[in-house]
Amino acid sequence: MATGRTHRPATRSRGIPEATVARLPLYLRALTALSERSVPTVSSEELAAAAGVNSAKLRKDFSYLGSYGTRGVGYDVEYLVYQISRELGLTQDWPVVIVGIGNLGAALANYGGFASRGFRVAALIDADPAMAGKPVAGIPVQHTDELEKIISDNGVSIGVIATPAGAAQQVCDRLVAAGVTSILNFAPTVLSVPDGVDVRKVDLSIELQILAFHEQRKAGEESAEGGPLPAAASRGAAADDSADQGPDGDVPAVMPA
């Protein structure tokens, strides 16, 4: 993935590893939940458990931020919320455009988490003329003919693509040409972008396929230990057995040479 924006975020200029940057939103989510419960301080062990990482990794990550906590007390929750929000660039308002207002695009438009996390949906854009003017989440949909003007007028640098795969690259090219330098891609395709443009891809089918792999492996382990096979696997095994049986059901129809 190409990087190298003209005004780079502080995290990169300060040498914070990308793996640490990827974990900062996890810490922020856990800290925000603690803040909402008026919890003043948290230990590294408690915060690590809430974020789903080990405490040694958490302490290492926070050392990049210059935050080490206080022995016997832990970390100040409110200060960490501010510190991580600042590092992630969430102390300012980020206008975002969503292109492709089908079922997924509409769901994203209705997502209430954008505003509370420093993002403002500046515009909803779709290629279907019949969609133009229709309100989604209280925002009127605008036609793709206006894409460049919308980006310029709103100072947009982050675009969300929720179009079908076949339209995604063209939309991406137009976003980039109009000045968008960060793209969140929900379309099931790989986008080609120039240096200086960051792309994050969200593919739900891939995540489900990974889960299917783990389910299959667990089923195989159960089978090896003599446990029950899943129903689908049992049906598959039965079909395989019948395929090898002869007309009487007890010997193969064709014996090996």
Side-chain angles (χ1 to χ4, degrees), residues 9-246:
T11 50
R12 290 183 183 176
S13 62
R14 288 172 49 180
I16 298 180
E18 288 293 337
T20 295
V21 175
R23 287 189 289 270
L24 291 182
L26 304 179
Y27 302 139
L28 182 59
R29 180 174 60 188
L31 287 162
T32 300
L34 292 171
S35 176
E36 290 172 350
R37 288 166 24 215
S38 300
V39 176
T41 60
V42 62
S43 70
S44 59
E45 288 78 11
E46 291 169 333
L47 183 54
V53 303
N54 66 64
S55 57
K57 184 174 292 184
L58 177 143
R59 288 190 292 270
K60 179 67 172 177
D61 288 342
F62 284 2
S63 72
Y64 291 111
L65 309 181
S67 186
Y68 297 92
T70 304
R71 184 178 294 275
V73 177
Y75 294 93
D76 183 288
V77 170
E78 291 299 332
Y79 179 67
L80 267 185
V81 167
Y82 164 75
Q83 196 174 23
I84 294 176
S85 296
R86 183 188 63 191
E87 290 295 339
L88 290 174
L90 303 182
T91 54
Q92 60 180 296
D93 178 61
W94 290 101
V96 175
V97 296
I98 301 175
V99 185
I101 313 302
N103 291 334
L104 178 56
L108 292 171
N110 280 283
Y111 174 55
F114 283 130
S116 64
R117 288 167 172 81
F119 302 93
R120 173 176 59 86
V121 178
L124 305 178
I125 304 172
D126 197 272
D128 184 359
M131 289 288 294
K134 289 187 176 180
V136 175
I139 303 172
V141 176
Q142 296 174 267
H143 193 264
T144 48
D145 288 348
E146 302 178 68
L147 185 148
E148 287 79 9
K149 184 177 186 301
I150 291 167
I151 291 171
S152 176
D153 290 350
N154 291 277
V156 173
S157 60
I158 300 176
V160 178
I161 296 178
T163 66
Q169 185 62 58
Q170 182 182 13
V171 168
C172 174
D173 293 342
R174 289 183 63 186
L175 287 172
V176 171
V180 168
T181 50
S182 291
I183 294 173
L184 182 61
N185 178 32
F186 284 89
T189 187
V190 176
L191 298 175
S192 175
V193 297
D195 289 342
V197 177
D198 294 313
V199 176
R200 299 287 296 181
K201 180 169 174 54
V202 180
D203 194 320
L204 301 180
S205 64
I206 287 178
E207 300 304 322
L208 286 170
Q209 288 165 5
I210 292 171
L211 289 175
F213 164 80
H214 290 295
E215 285 300 308
Q216 178 177 260
R217 186 174 63 176
K218 285 184 284 188
E221 289 171 353
E222 287 183 4
S223 177
E225 294 170 0
L229 281 170
S234 298
R235 289 194 298 271
D240 289 344
D241 288 346
S242 63
D244 290 338
Q245 289 176 348

